[in-house]
Amino acid sequence: MTYLENIYETRDFLKNAGVEAPEFGLILGSGLGELAEEIENALVFDYADIPNWAQSTVVGHAGKLVYGDLAGKKVLALQGRIHYYEGLGLQAVTFPVRVMKALGCTGILVTNAAGGVSFGPGTLMAISDHINMTGANPLIGENLDEFGPRFPDMSKAYTPEYREIAHRVAKEAGIKLDEGVYCGWSGPAYETPAEIRALKTLGADAVGMSTVPEVIVAVHSGLKVLGISCITNHAAGFQDSLSHEEVVAVTQQVKGDFKGLIKAILAEL
């Protein structure tokens, strides 16, 4: 089967299992998947049970697809994502975004845990733009004309209207929401201090190992995008050492504000 046929096979499988007209896709990053547990009237699928769906192998990623109601919206949530560094191609990494579009989603909310270049641990940062330092692009290869053009415009990849709503909602809720540029890194090794200095010069405010491929495919598919980073640590060179355990621990500390913010934003979209 072709990649396009795989997308439609997965779409049809989920439709037949009761997934009907989701409005928004949610991609929940490291340590942030608890939000999916608040989805009501939920249908829950293990990634292993979904045809053509890749498996998540990273601690802090549950590996479940959850469909249901959240903040008055029909959502399809990835409780854990697939990363490029897990050894899969970017078509596998971004496959869920294609399926979200095929099922009828009009927008996606993408979250991640990130290292702070301009911000410290515990900060929530709306992504205004990104820098792709993965060395790859998920659109390389035959273009999926059914989804979008060969050369998609990335000028407003992160939908300005969504960010405006996010900032307004955060202010009303008394939640501090900063804004900045996210740099996507392939991983799995953390960046060196010299690399972080270079990225700071390039204008990066946060750095992580996800999000950029999914956003590129979302834009190509005509989906609106809101990206929010949870800054879980200072990037290399700003603290003595880095660990994934610290990443998960900090997301646990801010999960209340994070979940509250995402639900309040969804209610307004």
Side-chain angles (χ1 to χ4, degrees):
M1 293 177 67
T2 67
Y3 185 64
L4 186 62
E5 288 170 339
N6 287 340
I7 293 169
Y8 292 146
E9 180 186 44
T10 304
R11 175 201 63 188
D12 293 343
F13 168 84
L14 292 171
K15 275 189 172 182
N16 291 335
V19 176
E20 299 178 356
E23 299 168 82
F24 294 96
L26 305 180
I27 302 178
L28 304 174
S30 295
L32 302 172
E34 281 190 22
L35 179 61
E37 296 170 9
E38 299 190 18
I39 293 174
E40 299 175 336
N41 306 311
L43 295 176
V44 182
F45 306 88
D46 287 330
Y47 288 174
D49 297 331
I50 306 173
N52 310 310
W53 206 277
Q55 307 303 300
S56 179
T57 63
V58 182
V59 173
H61 292 257
K64 296 181 186 295
L65 180 69
V66 185
Y67 166 77
D69 302 305
L70 186 66
K73 301 294 192 299
K74 290 286 186 185
V75 300
L76 191 62
L78 298 186
Q79 198 174 19
R81 57 153 53 87
I82 314 301
H83 301 81
Y84 187 34
Y85 63 73
E86 292 177 74
L88 301 169
L90 288 181
Q91 283 195 335
V93 170
T94 58
F95 186 81
V97 178
R98 295 295 194 193
V99 174
M100 287 173 174
K101 173 64 177 183
L103 283 166
C105 288
T106 58
I108 64 169
L109 279 67
V110 187
T111 72
N112 59 58
V117 179
S118 302
F119 305 109
T123 303
L124 295 178
M125 184 192 87
I127 303 175
S128 60
D129 204 348
H130 73 229
I131 301 170
N132 184 5
M133 294 292 284
T134 66
N137 190 299
L139 302 183
I140 290 173
E142 182 180 357
N143 186 56
L144 298 181
D145 295 328
E146 294 85 348
F147 282 84
R150 170 80 282 188
F151 305 106
D153 181 10
M154 297 294 293
S155 299
K156 296 179 181 178
Y158 298 84
T159 308
E161 295 85 354
Y162 278 16
R163 290 207 313 281
E164 289 173 8
I165 290 171
H167 284 295
R168 174 171 57 79
V169 166
K171 185 176 182 180
E172 291 171 353
I175 297 172
K176 190 174 189 301
L177 180 65
D178 284 292
E179 182 168 308
V181 174
Y182 176 88
C183 178
W185 199 258
S186 68
Y190 288 110
E191 309 75 26
T192 68
E195 288 166 340
I196 292 298
R197 290 195 298 272
L199 296 181
K200 185 175 183 179
T201 300
L202 290 174
D205 297 299
V207 60
M209 303 174 190
S210 66
T211 301
V212 168
E214 293 125 313
V215 170
I216 291 172
V217 165
V219 172
H220 179 259
S221 301
L223 292 166
K224 294 182 177 181
V225 177
L226 176 67
I228 295 181
S229 292
C230 174
I231 308 301
T232 54
N233 52 273
H234 292 290
F238 295 103
Q239 63 182 55
D240 289 339
S241 62
L242 302 173
S243 73
H244 187 65
E245 290 74 19
E246 178 186 17
V247 169
V248 175
V250 174
T251 59
Q252 291 302 300
Q253 294 170 20
V254 302
K255 66 183 180 183
D257 280 354
F258 168 79
K259 291 191 291 186
L261 179 61
I262 295 296
K263 289 189 290 185
I265 292 169
L266 270 175
E268 292 294 317
L269 290 178

